[in-house]
Amino acid sequence: MRIRAQVAMVMNLDKCIGCHTCSVTCKQTWTNREGTEYVWFNNVETKPGIGYPKHYEDQDRWHGGWILDAKGRLTLRSGGRIKRLSRIFANPDLPSIDDYYEPATFDKDVLVNAPGGLKDTPVQRPYSALTGEPMAVTWGANWEDSLGGAHERADGDPNLGKMPAAAAEKVKFEFEKTFMFHLPRICEHCLNPACVSACPSGAMYKREEDGIVLVDQDKCRGWRMCVSACPYKKVYVNHATGKAEKCTFCFPRIEAGQPTICSETCVGRLRYLGIVLYDEDAVLAAASVTDEHDLLDAQRAVFLDPHDPVVERAARDAGLPDEWIEAAKLSPIRKLITEYRIALPLHPEYRTLPMVWYVPPLSPVLDAVGAAGRDDSDADDVFHTIRELRIPVEYLAELFTAGDADAVAGVLMKLAGMRSYMRTRTLDGTVAQDLLDSLGMTAEQVEAMYRLLAIAKYEERYVIPAAHAKDAAALEAQAAGHDGCALDSEGGPGMTDDFHLTEGERTGLFRRTDGRRGLALNPLRGRS
C-alpha cells in the first residue's frame, strides 16, 4: 500500500444558480492574456446541452480517456505510442475553434464618442478577437444558458443518445415541458490522467504532494496530444505561445492555505475542498474493472479512512505531515464521497478516476411528490416519484454513474430522505425512525449531512492542510520579485528570458516554490 494525498473538490448542483461568477473570476485570474481568449478553465454548462467544446462527451468522435483492450488491459482510447507518434504533426482528434467558439470583442468607442442628438442608438458591432474582422456571434461557451439556445442543438447532447429510448422520450425541449440544471466544470485532476500519459514530451505531470495536474511550460512542445487525450477537454492551447495550458487548481492559493478562486467567489457556496488519502497501488485495478457500473464503487474503494490506525501509521511512514492527516480526517470531500456516499464522479466510464465529484440535483422532488398526491414522508412514494421526475434519473446516470440508474436513484433517495427528516425534526421535533432505517443512517449522521450540505461555515467547506500555509511567505516573496503579474511576461507563462532567471524562478509558475518536481509520469504511462 502506497499512500498518497489528493486535493479534491465536490460541487452540490442543487445550489448552482448559473451566475457564472466562478467562470469570470477564474478568467480574470488565469486566462486574461493574449492567446487564451477562447479558454475557460472554469465554465458552467446548462444541461441538457452539447457543452463546451461542442459534443466533448462524444468519445467515439474525440477518442479521449481510457478503454480496455481485447486482453482487458487499460490503454488510451487515442491509441498506443506508435499511433500517437504517427499523428504528432497532424492530429485528427483535435477540436477546432468552431467547436469552442470564436471569441468576439467590441468597439466601445462607437458608444463613448457618439455625437449627441442621434435619432438612432449607436450599436457596437462584434469583431473577431482572432482576426479582427467583423463577425456574427452564433455560439458561445454556454449557448444553452437558461434554455436560450437549447431548442437549437441540445437534442444533440451525447448523453441523450445513450439513454434508453423510453427515458429519452421524456426529455422535451418545449416550453413548460423541459428541464435544465447547471454543471460547473474544471479540470478533474484525475488519479489516472490520460493527458499525462499521452504527452510525448513529459510536460504534463501530477504533483506528488497533492495530486494537482500541471504543465511544465519549458518542456511543452505543443504536440497537443494532451488535448485529444483528455475526455473532458480541459486542456487548451495558447495560440500565441503554442503551449498547453489548463486549470492549475489555483495551486498558489492552495499552498498558501486558501481555497481556489472559483470556490472563494462562488455565490451559491456549492463547492467543497479537502484532502483525501488514497492507495496508489490500487489505482490501476480500479480503473481496469470490466463492468462500467462497477467503476464508481471501485474508485471509492481506492480512498482510505484516515481514522484507521493502520492507515494513519502508514501515512506517517509515507512522509505525510501530521497537518495533512488531520486535514484528511476533517475533509468534507471524504464525508460526501465515502461516508455519506452522495457525491458522484463525472463520467467514470472514461476510467481517468476524476477527483472533482458532484452531488446530483434534487430541488423539485418533494414538490413533485405532493403534486402527485403522494406522501413525501413515505419512502416508497418518494422513490417512485424520483423515478418519474422531469429530470430523468437515466439522464443523471449517464453523467455520473456510467448509466447505472439505480445508483443515482439511491443518492436522490438519501437526499430526499434527509429533507423529509429535517423538515419533521424542525417543525415538531419528531424523529422519523422509520425514515432513518430506510436510509441506513443514524439521526446524528443525517443532521451532520444536512449541516454540511445546507449551512456549513467557510472553514467546514474548505479544509486545506495547514502545512501549505508555511509556503505563504515564499509565495509572497516570489510575487514581489516581479514588476507585474508573473503571467504577463513576454510570450506568456514559462516563456520569460532564460538568461535572466534562475531555474527556480523559471519554473516557479508551474511548480512548488521549493522546486519539487512531483510525479513527472503517470504510473500507467508505460502501458499506453
Side-chain angles (χ1 to χ4, degrees), residues 270-287:
L270 62 96
R271 298 178 188 240
Y272 301 81
L273 280 170
I275 294 292
V276 292
L277 303 182
Y278 71 95
D279 182 4
E280 187 178 18
D281 290 335
V283 170
L284 175 58

Side-chain angles (χ1 to χ4, degrees), residues 35 146 184 199 234 244 264 316 397 430 469 494 512 516 520:
S146 301
C199 179
K234 276 299 175 181
E264 183 78 77
R316 287 195 174 92
T430 302
R512 286 177 58 95
R516 292 176 63 186

Side-chain angles (χ1 to χ4, degrees), residues 66 76 78-79 84 193-202 204 223-230 522 525 528:
W66 301 85
L76 288 172
S78 57
R84 292 201 306 277
C195 58
V196 173
S197 291
C199 179
S201 59
M204 304 285 295
W223 300 122
R224 310 187 184 198
M225 294 297 172
C226 52
V227 179
S228 55
C230 175
N522 185 277
R525 185 182 181 89
S528 61

